[in-house]
Amino acid sequence: MLVANLKAELETEVWDCLHNVTDPELDEPVTDMGFIERIEVKDAKSVKVEFRLPTYWCSPNFAFLMAFGIRREVTSLPWVIEAEVQLNDHCFGDKVNEGVNSGRAYHDIFAEYCDGAKLDEVVEKFLAKAFDRRQETVLLGLQALGHRPSEIVTMTLAELQQVTFNGEEELRQLPRYLDLLAVQGLATEPDDLAFTTWEGHEIAVADLSDHLTRLRSTRINMEFNGALCRGLAKTRYKEVEIGPDGPQLIDFIAGHVPPREEAAATD
């Protein structure tokens, strides 16, 4: 039996690692989106994570990708020996849960349940959108700081890393953009260009405006879907019931328990 303090500490560690799992369509952490419903740590080695999406019919592709992501991050914690992921209240929930917890290769599971779709192709599609959104934020931030188009398209990775941004969104997206550059091998050396297309092509000065227009279109679409998902999730998560033993740590983190002053006002 875990003591309460250790249990809370381990559950917080699990919560923190889940920030690395994003909704593939929105490029936002599942923790920020309010999708994580319950985290249970048993015996300092076994973890169960329950999550729920905004609607009963959310895309199975997204559900699988998030479930696999949750399991990947949880099992990366050095103290975790066993991990179970459970998707609640979803039309594809049984298949997702069986697939992600079966121990089979997730590429095979995904193809079996998603009409033969290849997981790598789906991941690539959404990574490209995430790249566009992150890059646009950084580009607009540079323009706001007074950088000319000719300076931007020739900026190196080292030069970008020396820029001091002021905006909250730029500060949030810059490290995420740099991570994608490294993961995709688009910019790994100090002298590499900091800004290319997703395919690795250079951006000409004359093309920067059109490039930004395309990025803006991607961002608007993602923001619209994000606003819709947050609204649906907020409405749906009002149904979450606190267990018989009272609120757990995850209930406070996820906002299932109203602030004391708000609760008092409704009494």
CSV table of all heavy atoms in Angstrom, one decimal, residues 41 82 108 152 192 214:
chain,number,residue,atom,x,y,z
A,41,VAL,N,-1.9,5.1,-9.5
A,41,VAL,CA,-0.6,4.4,-9.3
A,41,VAL,C,-0.8,3.4,-8.2
A,41,VAL,O,-1.3,3.7,-7.1
A,41,VAL,CB,0.4,5.5,-8.9
A,41,VAL,CG1,1.8,4.7,-8.5
A,41,VAL,CG2,0.7,6.5,-10.0
A,82,GLU,N,4.3,-1.9,-15.2
A,82,GLU,CA,3.1,-2.2,-15.9
A,82,GLU,C,2.3,-0.9,-16.1
A,82,GLU,O,2.2,0.0,-15.2
A,82,GLU,CB,2.2,-3.2,-15.0
A,82,GLU,CG,2.9,-4.5,-14.8
A,82,GLU,CD,2.0,-5.4,-13.8
A,82,GLU,OE1,1.0,-4.9,-13.4
A,82,GLU,OE2,2.5,-6.5,-13.6
A,108,ASP,N,0.6,-2.7,-36.5
A,108,ASP,CA,-0.3,-3.7,-37.0
A,108,ASP,C,-1.7,-3.5,-36.4
A,108,ASP,O,-2.7,-3.7,-37.1
A,108,ASP,CB,0.2,-5.1,-36.5
A,108,ASP,CG,1.6,-5.5,-37.1
A,108,ASP,OD1,1.9,-4.9,-38.2
A,108,ASP,OD2,2.3,-6.3,-36.5
A,152,ILE,N,15.0,37.0,-42.2
A,152,ILE,CA,14.3,35.8,-41.7
A,152,ILE,C,14.6,34.6,-42.5
A,152,ILE,O,14.9,33.5,-42.0
A,152,ILE,CB,12.8,36.1,-41.7
A,152,ILE,CG1,12.5,37.2,-40.6
A,152,ILE,CG2,12.0,34.8,-41.4
A,152,ILE,CD1,11.0,37.6,-40.6
A,192,ASP,N,22.7,25.6,-40.1
A,192,ASP,CA,21.5,25.2,-40.9
A,192,ASP,C,20.5,26.3,-40.9
A,192,ASP,O,20.4,27.0,-39.9
A,192,ASP,CB,20.9,23.9,-40.3
A,192,ASP,CG,21.8,22.7,-40.6
A,192,ASP,OD1,22.7,22.8,-41.4
A,192,ASP,OD2,21.6,21.7,-39.9
A,214,ARG,N,-0.3,30.6,-46.3
A,214,ARG,CA,-0.6,29.2,-46.2
A,214,ARG,C,-0.5,28.7,-44.7
A,214,ARG,O,-1.4,27.9,-44.3
A,214,ARG,CB,0.4,28.3,-47.0
A,214,ARG,CG,0.1,26.9,-47.1
A,214,ARG,CD,1.1,26.1,-47.9
A,214,ARG,NE,2.4,26.1,-47.2
A,214,ARG,CZ,2.7,25.3,-46.2
A,214,ARG,NH1,1.8,24.5,-45.7
A,214,ARG,NH2,3.9,25.4,-45.7
